[in-house]
Amino acid sequence: MEALDLARWQFGITTVYHYFFVPVTIGLSLLVALMQTQWMRTRDTRWLRLTKFFGKLFTINFALGLVTGIVQEFQFGMNWSDYSRFVGDIFGAPLAIEALLAFFLESTFLGLWIFGWGRIPEKLHAAAIWLVHIGTLLSSYFILAANSFMQNPVGYRVNPETGRAELTDFLAVLTNPVQLVTFPHVITAAYMTGGAFVLAFALWHLWRPGTPRTDAPMYRRAARLGAVVVLLAGAGSAISGDLQGKIMTEVQPMKMAAAEGLYEDVPEGEGAPFSIITVGTLDGREEVWALTVPKLLSYLATGSLDGAVEGIDHIQERYELTYAGAELTAAEDYRPVIPVTYWSFRLMIGLGLAAMGVALAVLWRLRGSATARDDREEDRPVLRHRLWGWAAGSVLFMPLLANSFGWIFTEMGRQPWLVMGLMTTRTGVSPGTTTGEVLTSMVVFTLLYGALAVVEVKLLLRYGRAGAEQVPEDASYDPADRDDDDAFVFTY
Amino acid sequence: MELTTIWFVLIAVLWVGYFCLEGFDYGVGMLLPVLGKDETRKRQMLSAIGPFWDGNEVWLLTAGGAIFAAFPHWYATLFSGFYLPLLLILVGLILRGVGLEYRGKVDSPAWRARMDAMVVAGSLLPAVLWGIAFSNIVSGVPIDAQMEYAGGFWNLLGPVALLGGLTTLALFLTHGALFVALKTDGALRHDARALALRLGVVAAVLAVAWLTLLHGRTGTPLSWWAAGLAAAALLGGLALAARGREGWAFSGTFVAIALATTSLFLALFPDVMPSSLDPDWSLTATNASSTAKTLGIMTVVALVFTPVMLLYTAWSYWTFRRRISGHHIPTEVHHAAVEPQRPGR
């Protein structure tokens, strides 16, 4: 393998890994903030216990999101220095602004939240977790603006003297049509992940034989909150995803065609079908059997059931004519890896829908308040069927993996482009770094990340299983109620 | 002032902030086995940096992002050229972040020992490597006509650079010891102060030697002044530490690190990465920069939001201003952290 392939693998591995923690951070910070606000309003200690329980899991998750995020910022310069030179004028600004506006906010107020129990007034303390959440949203906005530029460059010109892209309109970069639909899609998908996280742990405690009967109402409440968030965010994710499809058809038609493996053009009036699954050759040229929904691809791509959809072969011809002449844009093949785009697109949608299905089932099963039947079954779990245990274990991963597949689709579907229409991935790699260097860093990160994943999962399971800690009925974290010499509520 | 000059200054300010702030938490991390003679003392030390270290690290992220945005060629050449040192710094930052956050999550001596080792190693790596990196940046490295780094890993480990690594190491250790002296109470406080004095003398000798060598080659009158004042601030801080004035002593090392970093940037300007092969191939604040448009937008953003960030950062330091005594460390353990009792043991 060459440095280029290794650098791509490294970016893929480190980014997919980093993105296991990001949606949990965005989604869970919202849910913890909601729980803490509910406690402040009602003084019901069940909300306090849930705040602390999920807050603990949040910090375990946040630690890895933080340390793996630093790698992301350094990696552009280390492995992709020619890309950094080419787009730095546009791409660097959102990254710097993200750090200044979002990272300082997140880290400072998370520090205040973790160490602030009993040391800052309760209202400020609750405000701190909300500010952490706002920080995650700001961070998403700016990094997605940078990513959207790669999908659909706007607000720039290429300087003929330097051959570099230069910023002409920053507002256009921040309001890129791709950005405006991607941001809500990414945020709702993150909320689904946070909701599913809460749902999973609450459901597991409702199902597990050892859960104290008196805790059941608390976990029931958490399960319902998580399920409602999954459903609402899931609906938002579907709507924003649909809008994304239309924009994608306009600016990256190849990616849309690759999502379906559509080789031949489908003219206006015929209506292109969408296949749920296909059995055939890997690249989808020959199909043996397929389960298809008529006209759905036309609708996804154009908003009309009869809309014309351009096929892969035609786009390839068109791109060869347009782009083959220049060093930065020449490529042998303008098609992404079709099996990857085809299946990641379906897995994204399927896993998201599956999570919504579980959420719906849980809401149905837990409808009403504590049912009379449950009250009779003292000292037994609320949900006894083995399927609920399976549901708890799997719903955690459904939106998480849907997020991963969504990004794999978006980024692999952009190939061979690094910046759509401007620069191929091949030309962005650092010319000076050796294969040995990239190989070293890829091996180091992969091993380190693997080891950390084991530690992280162990801790999450351990703290997740142990359940919510007891707190005194009249728990107060107002500094006025504490003595200067009292032990702190939390220290390292 | 030219926009490129403004951004050169702002980036210098970000590095100053990073070294002055994260410098002390690297020091505290490295001193964990030295000053943390028992578990309570270790926890006092770690809790003193607990609310701050993550925010301190963001200064580095912002410095990195700002270099990318304002001087893309500097970012590209530096990060692809100093590949392996940066990889080691990243590994260090990962290890210490995880060590700090997960240390208290399992109540077992073996677990804590592992996490402590990660915190120590993870603090040591960046503390040494940034000194090496900056020594190389200031004295120049092989950069070719295409702005690409043309050296290897071993090029970066010359004697002056190694001296630079030892200097930042000693400075951060002193800075960290004084932070412990300032933020804790009891025997730990006194031990930390005594250690800071001894470390400080070593740091002063190393710093004077390194800065003299460095400025001897590339210094300007201004950079000499900054370096001289840095040495004076360090010695003043040590004198105050000896008199038990921990707050002023910590301010002394803070100012010393700030001035030493400033002297490096003063020696660098107007270059950002001088080439040792041909001065014409050097990266400068002008030829490595973004367009005036980008710099202008970034300037507005920085002017509006940096004061806000400084305000809440200051408020966080103010909130956690109290000294941490042994009796502040809670004795009860989270129920999930307790190791399950295995039968038959």
Side-chain angles (χ1 to χ4, degrees):
Chain A
M1 266 205 249
E2 289 175 41
L4 169 66
D5 301 308
L6 291 166
R8 288 187 64 189
W9 272 108
Q10 181 178 325
F11 200 88
I13 292 169
T14 54
T15 309
V16 169
Y17 189 82
H18 175 59
Y19 211 76
F20 285 137
F21 310 104
V22 174
V24 177
T25 299
I26 299 170
L28 204 51
S29 59
L30 173 72
L31 278 133
V32 171
L34 286 172
M35 289 168 181
Q36 187 164 359
T37 307
Q38 277 299 89
W39 173 62
M40 300 282 294
R41 281 182 45 209
T42 62
R43 303 306 287 190
D44 182 338
T45 47
R46 281 176 288 198
W47 283 119
L48 175 62
R49 292 179 64 196
L50 288 173
T51 305
K52 295 201 128 195
F53 175 55
F54 286 106
K56 209 62 147 185
L57 298 174
F58 174 79
T59 56
I60 292 171
N61 168 79
F62 187 87
L64 277 200
L66 169 84
V67 297
T68 55
I70 310 170
V71 176
Q72 296 304 103
E73 194 202 62
F74 279 38
Q75 201 168 183
F76 294 115
M78 290 170 74
N79 285 343
W80 302 99
S81 67
D82 269 0
Y83 167 73
S84 304
R85 288 183 207 279
F86 181 71
V87 294
D89 197 60
I90 300 144
F91 193 85
L95 258 68
I97 297 174
E98 183 190 18
L100 181 61
L101 260 68
F103 293 161
F104 274 116
L105 195 70
E106 277 178 81
S107 53
T108 306
F109 284 95
L110 188 62
L112 279 156
W113 190 76
I114 294 175
F115 289 86
W117 289 99
R119 293 168 80 177
I120 54 176
E122 284 179 351
K123 279 190 181 158
L124 270 178
H125 188 253
I129 190 73
W130 279 108
L131 284 168
V132 171
H133 180 61
I134 291 169
T136 66
L137 296 182
L138 284 171
S139 161
S140 309
Y141 198 88
F142 288 104
I143 197 65
L144 288 173
N147 180 268
S148 297
F149 181 82
M150 300 168 81
Q151 314 289 348
N152 177 40
V154 290
Y156 75 100
R157 67 172 195 130
V158 175
N159 184 331
E161 277 175 39
T162 60
R164 293 166 57 209
E166 290 179 356
L167 184 68
T168 56
D169 187 349
F170 192 54
L171 197 64
V173 172
L174 292 181
T175 56
N176 189 334
V178 171
Q179 159 76 348
L180 294 181
V181 290
T182 303
F183 178 70
H185 192 60
V186 162
I187 296 304
T188 48
Y191 286 169
M192 278 184 89
T193 314
F197 190 98
V198 168
L199 172 60
F201 283 100
L203 192 59
W204 189 77
H205 280 285
L206 288 172
W207 167 78
R208 184 182 77 118
T211 304
R213 185 71 197 151
T214 44
D215 282 356
M218 175 181 72
Y219 289 121
R220 181 193 299 267
R221 197 177 272 189
R224 285 165 65 164
L225 173 66
V228 167
V229 170
V230 169
L231 285 173
L232 289 178
S237 185
I239 294 167
S240 55
D242 180 54
L243 294 173
Q244 254 185 321
K246 319 287 184 266
I247 306 273
M248 183 167 56
T249 309
E250 271 175 46
V251 301
Q252 293 175 298
M254 181 66 97
K255 198 194 276 186
M256 193 71 212
E260 173 58 27
L262 180 79
Y263 286 89
E264 309 281 329
D265 289 0
V266 176
E268 183 82 38
E270 277 186 22
F274 180 85
S275 58
I276 311 286
I277 41 173
T278 310
V279 181
T281 54
L282 255 186
D283 65 357
R285 254 192 211 280
E286 320 260 327
E287 74 178 42
V288 178
W289 176 83
L291 178 62
T292 56
V293 182
K295 297 179 188 281
L296 180 59
L297 182 66
S298 279
Y299 179 77
L300 288 176
T302 66
S304 149
L305 289 172
D306 294 320
V309 184
E310 200 179 5
I312 292 167
D313 293 339
H314 192 200
I315 305 171
Q316 164 79 16
E317 277 172 36
R318 209 153 53 78
Y319 281 9
E320 273 173 28
L321 286 175
T322 320
Y323 295 120
E327 164 64 19
L328 280 183
T329 56
E332 278 177 26
D333 197 341
Y334 291 96
R335 293 169 300 190
V337 186
I338 307 296
V340 172
T341 52
Y342 182 89
W343 288 108
S344 57
F345 191 68
R346 274 146 195 81
L347 284 164
M348 168 186 77
I349 296 173
L351 287 163
L353 288 173
M356 291 174 76
V358 173
L360 204 60
V362 170
L363 276 186
W364 176 256
R365 178 62 182 77
L366 297 180
R367 69 193 182 280
S369 58
T371 59
R373 195 172 67 99
D374 289 341
D375 286 339
R376 283 202 309 275
E377 298 173 1
E378 293 217 351
D379 301 325
R380 281 189 185 177
V382 175
L383 306 169
R384 276 186 300 161
H385 199 284
R386 193 198 307 169
L387 274 179
W388 292 115
W390 281 102
S394 55
V395 75
L396 179 62
F397 296 101
M398 289 170 184
L400 201 58
L401 293 176
N403 273 280
S404 302
F405 285 118
W407 275 112
I408 289 169
F409 170 73
T410 305
E411 299 299 289
M412 290 291 286
R414 192 187 61 227
Q415 302 303 323
W417 297 108
L418 190 46
V419 184
M420 175 66 207
L422 285 184
M423 179 183 222
T424 57
T425 306
R426 178 179 59 81
T427 58
V429 76
S430 300
T433 49
T434 61
T435 310
E437 283 174 327
V438 190
L439 185 66
T440 308
S441 71
M442 195 184 85
V443 170
V444 166
F445 283 128
T446 307
L447 291 179
L448 187 59
Y449 281 14
L452 292 178
V454 174
V455 176
E456 150 101 9
V457 168
K458 265 170 106 166
L459 280 181
L460 276 182
L461 287 182
R462 186 180 184 133
Y463 276 76
R465 277 188 185 148
E469 272 187 304
Q470 295 293 341
V471 294
E473 254 329 294
D474 55 347
S476 158
Y477 293 95
D478 198 326
D481 293 343
R482 293 177 173 267
D483 196 65
D484 273 1
D485 286 334
D486 286 350
F488 295 136
V489 177
F490 178 85
T491 64
Y492 271 148
Chain B
M1 209 179 344
E2 297 269 333
L3 277 171
T4 49
T5 310
I6 292 176
W7 273 93
F8 185 91
V9 173
L10 284 174
I11 283 163
V13 168
L14 289 168
W15 283 102
V16 166
Y18 168 58
F19 287 138
C20 289
L21 292 170
E22 186 128 281
F24 74 72
D25 68 57
Y26 289 152
V28 174
M30 290 184 282
L31 291 172
L32 203 55
V34 183
L35 286 172
K37 287 178 183 149
D38 57 39
E39 176 58 13
T40 307
R41 285 173 60 146
K42 282 200 177 81
R43 290 184 64 186
Q44 280 174 268
M45 291 169 70
L46 291 172
S47 300
I49 59 168
F52 310 128
W53 72 268
D54 184 6
N56 295 346
E57 202 159 291
V58 177
W59 287 83
L60 170 64
L61 279 166
T62 313
I67 292 184
F68 194 173
F71 302 103
H73 288 301
W74 186 6
Y75 172 78
T77 306
L78 175 65
F79 280 63
S80 64
F82 290 15
Y83 198 92
L84 291 177
L86 286 170
L87 172 66
L88 289 172
I89 286 171
L90 286 173
V91 169
L93 295 180
I94 291 172
L95 290 177
R96 78 190 294 269
V98 171
L100 286 167
E101 282 298 320
Y102 287 177
R103 185 182 188 278
K105 294 279 186 283
V106 177
D107 187 28
S108 112
W111 173 269
R112 282 192 290 266
R114 266 201 300 278
M115 295 297 132
D116 288 353
M118 282 163 61
V119 172
V120 173
S123 305
L124 182 76
L125 282 169
V128 174
L129 287 166
W130 283 124
I132 292 178
F134 266 87
S135 192
N136 280 304
I137 292 173
V138 174
S139 43
V141 287
I143 291 174
D144 67 19
Q146 278 73 47
M147 293 186 167
E148 295 295 337
Y149 177 69
F153 176 60
W154 300 108
N155 279 57
L156 301 174
L157 299 181
V160 180
L162 290 176
L163 185 61
L166 290 177
T167 306
T168 46
L169 174 69
L171 276 173
F172 294 161
L173 283 169
T174 312
H175 200 36
L178 282 173
F179 187 73
V180 176
L182 178 66
K183 296 292 290 184
T184 64
D185 223 340
L188 175 58
R189 172 184 175 182
H190 294 98
D191 289 357
R193 202 171 65 203
L195 183 64
L197 282 173
R198 279 181 282 152
L199 287 168
V201 174
V202 179
V205 172
L206 288 169
V208 168
W210 179 51
L211 291 174
T212 308
L213 282 170
L214 213 53
H215 292 299
R217 284 190 209 169
T218 61
T220 64
L222 261 181
S223 78
W224 274 109
W225 269 105
L229 288 171
L234 181 58
L235 294 174
L238 293 176
L240 289 158
R243 292 173 162 213
R245 305 294 297 270
E246 285 127 347
W248 286 108
F250 180 74
S251 309
T253 46
F254 194 100
V255 171
I257 293 171
L259 285 169
T261 312
T262 306
S263 82
L264 301 181
F265 279 88
L266 285 170
L268 203 52
F269 191 79
D271 287 346
V272 293
M273 270 191 100
S275 168
S276 60
L277 301 177
D278 183 338
D280 287 345
W281 296 343
S282 293
L283 273 66
T284 68
T286 320
N287 74 11
S289 84
S290 283
T291 56
K293 170 113 188 162
T294 297
L295 293 178
I297 291 166
M298 295 284 300
T299 308
V300 174
V301 173
L303 287 179
V304 173
F305 290 100
T306 310
V308 179
M309 177 277 283
L310 288 173
L311 270 179
Y312 62 67
T313 302
W315 179 63
S316 165
Y317 274 89
W318 173 252
T319 301
F320 299 111
R321 67 191 174 281
R322 273 170 50 198
R323 285 180 185 276
I324 298 173
S325 304
H327 58 256
H328 285 130
I329 303 297
T331 44
E332 74 269 28
V333 177
H334 192 282
H335 68 157
V338 182
E339 287 281 11
Q341 292 290 315
R342 292 209 178 83
R345 286 235 184 138

